[in-house]
Short mmCIF file of all heavy atoms in Angstrom, two decimals:
data_model
loop_
_atom_site.label_atom_id
_atom_site.label_comp_id
_atom_site.label_asym_id
_atom_site.label_seq_id
_atom_site.Cartn_x
_atom_site.Cartn_y
_atom_site.Cartn_z
N SER A 1640 -126.06 157.39 -39.88
CA SER A 1640 -126.63 158.23 -40.93
C SER A 1640 -127.67 157.45 -41.70
O SER A 1640 -127.62 156.22 -41.79
CB SER A 1640 -125.54 158.73 -41.89
OG SER A 1640 -124.96 157.65 -42.61
N LEU A 1641 -128.63 158.17 -42.24
CA LEU A 1641 -129.65 157.60 -43.10
C LEU A 1641 -129.56 158.34 -44.44
O LEU A 1641 -129.74 159.56 -44.50
CB LEU A 1641 -131.04 157.76 -42.50
CG LEU A 1641 -132.19 157.19 -43.32
CD1 LEU A 1641 -132.09 155.67 -43.42
CD2 LEU A 1641 -133.54 157.59 -42.70
N SER A 1642 -129.29 157.61 -45.50
CA SER A 1642 -129.07 158.25 -46.80
C SER A 1642 -130.38 158.56 -47.51
O SER A 1642 -131.42 157.98 -47.22
CB SER A 1642 -128.21 157.33 -47.69
OG SER A 1642 -128.91 156.12 -47.95
N ASN A 1643 -130.28 159.50 -48.46
CA ASN A 1643 -131.36 159.81 -49.41
C ASN A 1643 -132.69 160.18 -48.75
O ASN A 1643 -133.75 159.61 -49.04
CB ASN A 1643 -131.55 158.63 -50.36
CG ASN A 1643 -130.36 158.44 -51.27
OD1 ASN A 1643 -130.02 159.31 -52.05
ND2 ASN A 1643 -129.70 157.29 -51.13
N VAL A 1644 -132.62 161.15 -47.86
CA VAL A 1644 -133.82 161.71 -47.24
C VAL A 1644 -134.16 163.03 -47.93
O VAL A 1644 -133.31 163.92 -48.04
CB VAL A 1644 -133.59 161.95 -45.73
CG1 VAL A 1644 -134.82 162.60 -45.10
CG2 VAL A 1644 -133.24 160.64 -45.03
N ALA A 1678 -132.09 164.54 -52.68
CA ALA A 1678 -132.08 163.89 -51.37
C ALA A 1678 -130.70 164.01 -50.74
O ALA A 1678 -129.68 164.09 -51.43
CB ALA A 1678 -132.47 162.43 -51.50
N ALA A 1679 -130.64 164.01 -49.41
CA ALA A 1679 -129.38 164.15 -48.68
C ALA A 1679 -129.43 163.28 -47.44
O ALA A 1679 -130.50 162.90 -46.97
CB ALA A 1679 -129.14 165.61 -48.30
N PRO A 1680 -128.27 162.94 -46.88
CA PRO A 1680 -128.26 162.10 -45.68
C PRO A 1680 -128.71 162.85 -44.44
O PRO A 1680 -128.52 164.07 -44.32
CB PRO A 1680 -126.80 161.65 -45.56
CG PRO A 1680 -126.02 162.70 -46.28
CD PRO A 1680 -126.89 163.19 -47.39
N MET A 1681 -129.30 162.12 -43.53
CA MET A 1681 -129.60 162.60 -42.19
C MET A 1681 -128.60 161.94 -41.26
O MET A 1681 -128.48 160.71 -41.26
CB MET A 1681 -131.04 162.22 -41.80
CG MET A 1681 -131.43 162.58 -40.37
SD MET A 1681 -133.03 161.83 -39.91
CE MET A 1681 -134.13 162.61 -41.09
N THR A 1708 -137.97 154.55 -48.94
CA THR A 1708 -137.61 153.86 -50.18
C THR A 1708 -136.39 152.96 -50.01
O THR A 1708 -135.69 153.01 -48.98
CB THR A 1708 -137.30 154.89 -51.28
OG1 THR A 1708 -136.13 155.63 -50.91
CG2 THR A 1708 -138.47 155.86 -51.46
N ASP A 1709 -136.10 152.18 -51.05
CA ASP A 1709 -134.92 151.31 -51.05
C ASP A 1709 -133.62 152.09 -50.94
O ASP A 1709 -132.59 151.56 -50.51
CB ASP A 1709 -134.87 150.47 -52.33
CG ASP A 1709 -135.86 149.32 -52.30
OD1 ASP A 1709 -136.36 148.98 -51.21
OD2 ASP A 1709 -136.15 148.77 -53.37
N ASP A 1710 -133.65 153.35 -51.36
CA ASP A 1710 -132.44 154.18 -51.33
C ASP A 1710 -132.09 154.68 -49.94
O ASP A 1710 -130.98 155.20 -49.72
CB ASP A 1710 -132.59 155.38 -52.26
CG ASP A 1710 -132.70 154.97 -53.72
OD1 ASP A 1710 -132.15 153.91 -54.06
OD2 ASP A 1710 -133.34 155.70 -54.50
N MET A 1711 -133.00 154.56 -49.00
CA MET A 1711 -132.75 155.06 -47.65
C MET A 1711 -132.03 153.97 -46.85
O MET A 1711 -132.66 153.06 -46.30
CB MET A 1711 -134.06 155.49 -47.00
CG MET A 1711 -134.73 156.64 -47.73
SD MET A 1711 -136.42 157.02 -47.22
CE MET A 1711 -136.14 157.77 -45.62
N VAL A 1712 -130.72 154.09 -46.79
CA VAL A 1712 -129.86 153.08 -46.15
C VAL A 1712 -129.36 153.60 -44.81
O VAL A 1712 -128.82 154.71 -44.72
CB VAL A 1712 -128.66 152.73 -47.06
CG1 VAL A 1712 -127.72 151.76 -46.36
CG2 VAL A 1712 -129.15 152.14 -48.38
N LEU A 1713 -129.57 152.81 -43.77
CA LEU A 1713 -129.10 153.16 -42.44
C LEU A 1713 -127.70 152.59 -42.24
O LEU A 1713 -127.48 151.38 -42.38
CB LEU A 1713 -130.04 152.59 -41.38
CG LEU A 1713 -129.69 152.92 -39.92
CD1 LEU A 1713 -129.84 154.41 -39.65
CD2 LEU A 1713 -130.55 152.10 -38.96
N THR A 1714 -126.75 153.47 -41.93
CA THR A 1714 -125.35 153.05 -41.70
C THR A 1714 -124.95 153.43 -40.29
O THR A 1714 -125.08 154.60 -39.89
CB THR A 1714 -124.41 153.71 -42.72
OG1 THR A 1714 -124.80 153.35 -44.04
CG2 THR A 1714 -122.97 153.27 -42.48
#
Side-chain angles (χ1 to χ4, degrees):
S1640 66
L1641 180 65
S1642 63
N1643 293 299
V1644 177
M1681 176 190 298
T1708 66
D1709 284 344
D1710 295 332
M1711 297 169 73
V1712 176
L1713 182 66
T1714 301

